[in-house]
Amino acid sequence: PSKPPISLYPRHEQTQSPLFGKLFAAELRIFIYEAVLGDLIRPMHIVPHDNGYFEGIDILYTANHFSLEGARGMLEMRSVVPTPQWHMIRHVHVSTLFLTPRPSWLRSGFPPENYNKWSDGCKALQELRGLRSIRFEFIGREDGPAEADVESLVSVLEPLKDIKAPSFEVEMNFPIPDPVQAILGDTNFTLRFQQRPCRKPHARF
């Protein structure tokens, strides 16, 4: 089904509220918006709906940390956020679960990550002009040597190289083999190995 259009006009001017009165400085309203709408500690999960716009809408994008799940999360969020607000996003975290070898990704609905959509999702994040920090968290499968499939790992990591952010971290639950690093060459992100229990392929994502 097609998504409902997002209105670019306010539903109500709210002129009856003292907050929007002439005696209340706009600078004070901005401080209030940041205190109420912004939180860099708790990630903001987006549930899209047509809800109109108001004076503090930009604060939602500049003062929050957005948590997305894989390619689907990246593409769905891009599809509902207008371009001006998309460029205002400052902080993003992306988590995903994938299988190797690469043909495993091509099966519909299993695992949660969609290999065919991964590059498209990364391209959406390449458009973020105001991005200040981004972190990817990759979980490899448990029932096979994920680190052994060089082609799959390069396919996962290569699209990240065109995403620009002053703070860019990629965390994986297994060491990246030397052949993969040699193919990638210089990268604009920091690769970190964080050992943790792998999720089984049938686990809920």
Side-chain angles (χ1 to χ4, degrees):
S2 60
K3 297 182 176 66
I6 297 178
S7 173
L8 299 180
Y9 300 95
R11 293 299 188 194
H12 197 292
E13 293 183 358
Q14 299 178 332
T15 54
Q16 81 286 355
S17 172
L19 180 64
F20 300 98
K22 295 181 179 180
L23 299 180
F24 206 99
E27 291 80 3
L28 293 178
R29 285 200 297 271
I30 296 300
F31 284 126
I32 292 174
Y33 294 148
E34 290 180 342
V36 175
L37 303 176
D39 192 333
L40 293 179
I41 304 300
R42 295 178 299 177
M44 170 175 282
H45 297 269
I46 297 300
V47 179
H49 59 90
D50 184 20
N51 196 33
Y53 281 75
F54 56 98
E55 186 181 29
I57 189 66
D58 293 347
I59 303 298
L60 285 173
Y61 298 94
T62 60
N64 280 292
H65 192 145
F66 293 90
S67 178
L68 309 173
E69 288 193 354
R72 180 180 179 182
M74 293 186 280
L75 292 172
E76 283 293 318
M77 184 172 178
R78 181 64 188 97
S79 71
V80 298
V81 176
T83 297
Q85 281 71 41
W86 183 252
H87 292 312
M88 293 179 181
I89 293 175
R90 299 290 184 264
H91 308 281
V92 175
H93 172 264
V94 179
S95 59
T96 188
L97 168 68
F98 65 92
L99 300 181
T100 59
R102 191 166 67 168
S104 300
W105 261 16
L106 302 179
R107 288 178 288 177
S108 176
F110 180 79
E113 187 54 80
N114 186 324
Y115 174 79
N116 292 325
K117 296 292 185 181
W118 180 251
S119 292
D120 292 337
C122 292
K123 287 179 181 178
L125 298 187
Q126 293 170 17
E127 301 174 4
L128 294 173
R129 299 173 184 171
L131 193 61
R132 295 180 182 174
S133 70
I134 186 167
R135 181 171 177 267
F136 283 83
E137 181 181 336
F138 293 98
I139 303 294
R141 72 172 188 173
E142 184 178 24
D143 65 337
E147 67 276 8
D149 187 6
V150 172
E151 181 183 11
S152 294
L153 294 179
V154 171
S155 298
V156 172
L157 297 173
E158 187 75 34
L160 306 184
K161 295 176 65 175
D162 291 325
I163 299 174
K164 308 299 182 184
S167 175
F168 192 168
E169 181 177 309
V170 176
E171 180 182 298
M172 309 193 78
N173 66 325
F174 51 83
I176 300 300
D178 292 338
V180 173
Q181 294 184 345
I183 294 173
L184 291 175
D186 294 334
T187 60
N188 57 327
F189 52 82
T190 301
L191 268 172
R192 299 187 184 279
F193 164 54
Q194 178 65 45
Q195 189 170 11
R196 64 180 66 189
C198 298
R199 300 183 185 184
K200 293 182 180 297
H202 59 269
R204 182 179 182 274
F205 181 58

